[in-house]
Amino acid sequence: MDSTATRGGSSSRPGLACYIGAMSKLAGRPCVEPATSEPDPVVEAYKKDVDRTLLRANLARTVEERLQNLGRLQRFAEELRRAGRAHR
Amino acid sequence: MIDLERALHELHRGGVEFIIVGGVAATIHGATRVTQDLDIVYARTPENIDRLATALAPHRPYLRGAPPGLPFRWDAETIGRGLNFTLTTALGDLDLLGEIVGGGGYADLLPHCQSVTVSGVEYRCLGLERLIHVKRAAGRPRDLEAIAELEALREQGGDQDAG
């Protein structure tokens, strides 16, 4: 699962997220709290390594082309997995 | 692996109200990371739950990772009693979410959506800003790299490009 799905709460701190989630459920409200907008030092560190040439190339594509690329990459990854299994 | 085009088409054909979130939404916004499944937030109205049950029934939904042979019944009643379902289907892996952390349900997310056209059909996709917000809210370590890429996309003006 790649989404942010859980029935818990919302926070960049898992413990707090559980607490907020539990409180939201108790209050009968969906869990929609603002995430902090402060820069996360870990994210900032990762951001330095993001290949922005790839992003720019992707942004020059249409949404359909981006999804087609994803489909091609998924199929290729599947092919590699299959080859790896056969090799073992 | 998910047959994206077909999965989206089947949901659309079934009249299901849903929003694309997760990795596919990130791809729509220009992210380069590869995701293997489709995550959607679906409207929890009884009518939409009926439509969702009907649209997916031919594709043999089953609980992903569960041992085979469990008495899992795919129908509106099951969906109504649950909330978030991680499924394997004949179309591929599909996550059906009634709610997401930091974003809430379908109605909460609607104002943060944008339309994208795929194969001539208009779909709702969670906007880049909200996608970053919910990923940050989830607080999962494995999302940190994805968030970095999404924030880099925002700096490149990616939100406008997916509209």
Side-chain angles (χ1 to χ4, degrees):
Chain A
M1 190 173 74
D2 191 49
S3 79
T4 51
T6 76
R7 300 187 70 173
S10 66
S11 163
S12 57
R13 285 165 291 173
L16 184 59
C18 291
Y19 173 76
I20 293 172
M23 290 300 107
S24 294
K25 272 185 269 179
L26 282 176
R29 294 193 307 267
C31 188
V32 192
E33 296 84 16
T36 175
S37 57
E38 287 168 27
D40 182 310
V42 180
V43 170
E44 293 304 309
Y46 277 131
K47 222 190 274 184
K48 291 189 188 106
D49 292 325
V50 173
D51 188 337
R52 287 168 193 259
T53 60
L54 290 178
L55 298 188
R56 279 194 286 273
N58 242 4
L59 290 175
R61 296 185 174 105
T62 64
V63 167
E64 292 213 32
E65 287 169 339
R66 294 172 202 170
L67 291 175
Q68 282 163 3
N69 265 356
L70 173 63
R72 272 196 291 271
L73 287 167
Q74 284 175 336
R75 282 190 290 277
F76 183 54
E78 185 60 30
E79 199 61 38
L80 290 175
R81 273 193 290 272
R82 208 172 293 137
R85 277 196 297 269
H87 186 68
R88 281 197 290 268
Chain B
M1 196 178 83
I2 180 88
D3 184 341
L4 264 182
E5 197 175 331
R6 214 173 137 216
L8 290 172
H9 176 75
E10 291 294 308
L11 291 165
H12 168 75
R13 200 171 62 143
V16 179
E17 291 176 289
F18 68 96
I19 297 166
I20 302 168
V21 297
V24 173
T27 298
I28 285 170
H29 290 297
T32 59
R33 302 168 74 78
V34 179
T35 183
Q36 298 294 326
D37 60 6
L38 172 64
D39 302 335
I40 63 162
V41 172
Y42 64 98
R44 291 278 299 169
T45 59
E47 300 79 18
N48 198 52
I49 286 175
D50 274 340
R51 288 191 288 260
L52 184 58
T54 306
L56 290 183
H59 305 290
R60 305 188 304 279
Y62 192 70
L63 298 170
R64 194 155 77 235
L70 288 182
F72 176 69
R73 207 177 55 187
W74 178 254
D75 58 16
E77 193 185 341
T78 299
I79 304 172
R81 285 185 177 172
L83 182 68
N84 296 336
F85 298 87
T86 55
L87 301 172
T88 176
T89 74
L91 301 167
D93 292 343
L94 190 55
D95 292 353
L96 307 178
L97 312 168
E99 242 179 67
I100 54 175
V101 171
Y106 180 84
D108 302 306
L109 292 172
L110 265 185
H112 306 284
C113 286
Q114 52 194 90
S115 293
V116 291
T117 305
V118 182
S119 303
V121 178
E122 219 169 80
Y123 296 99
R124 291 192 178 97
C125 173
L126 192 59
L128 180 57
E129 197 58 50
R130 201 63 178 178
L131 193 57
I132 293 170
H133 176 97
V134 297
K135 281 205 175 281
R136 288 188 71 164
R140 299 183 308 186
R142 71 186 176 102
D143 280 338
L144 292 171
E145 276 190 82
I147 295 169
E149 190 181 36
L150 291 172
E151 290 191 0
L153 274 166
R154 180 174 58 189
E155 289 163 17
Q156 301 280 335
D159 211 13
Q160 287 82 43
D161 290 63

